[in-house]
Amino acid sequence: MPESDGFHPDFPNDAAQRPPRNRVRHVKSTDLDATTAQTDGMQRFAALSGATVGSEKLWMGETIAAPGMSSANHHHGESETMIFVRSGHPEFVFLDGDDEVRVRTDPGDYVFVPPHLPHREENPDPTTPAELVIARSSQEAIVVNLPALYAL
């Protein structure tokens, strides 16, 4: 892709090698980066990150939750995570004390996941994927996969 479009998949995460921060960057939906951290049952794609646009504090991308899937339990380290449900009806599961909480969503809903909170995403629809737009307060996608919904 031409440099003028602002997408630089070959830039390392080293700050000295990131794209310059003196202009607007444009990443087309067809140029998302699938080499981000993954969790079983989900496909994550980076759009705006340190490597693609030179961001220092934010990461943004999307996740596809396959029909009938349940992700692995995981958390996102120090990152605050904000989610916009573009399509489908994904569910977010976490523990509140000893109680399992299930947040059911609809297209257009927003979800906030605090730092270090173990959770998982589920897509109970047996035929339709759920599409989510993700923003995090770190420049890259942090994913720590866990064996269970409790902090280790």
Side-chain angles (χ1 to χ4, degrees), residues 37-105:
Q38 300 293 328
T39 298
D40 289 343
M42 306 184 78
Q43 230 180 340
R44 290 190 182 96
F45 301 92
L48 306 173
S49 68
T52 61
V53 299
S55 63
E56 293 179 357
K57 298 178 184 173
L58 298 174
W59 180 95
M60 190 170 196
E62 62 184 52
T63 299
I64 306 297
M69 80 83 190
S70 179
S71 76
N73 299 302
H74 61 281
H75 69 74
H76 302 290
E78 296 288 332
S79 291
E80 291 182 324
T81 302
M82 296 185 180
I83 301 160
F84 172 74
V85 179
R86 184 186 307 157
S87 68
H89 299 276
E91 298 180 359
F92 299 83
V93 183
F94 65 98
L95 291 180
D96 185 6
D98 292 331
D99 297 326
E100 183 176 283
V101 177
R102 181 173 300 274
V103 177
R104 292 177 173 86
T105 65

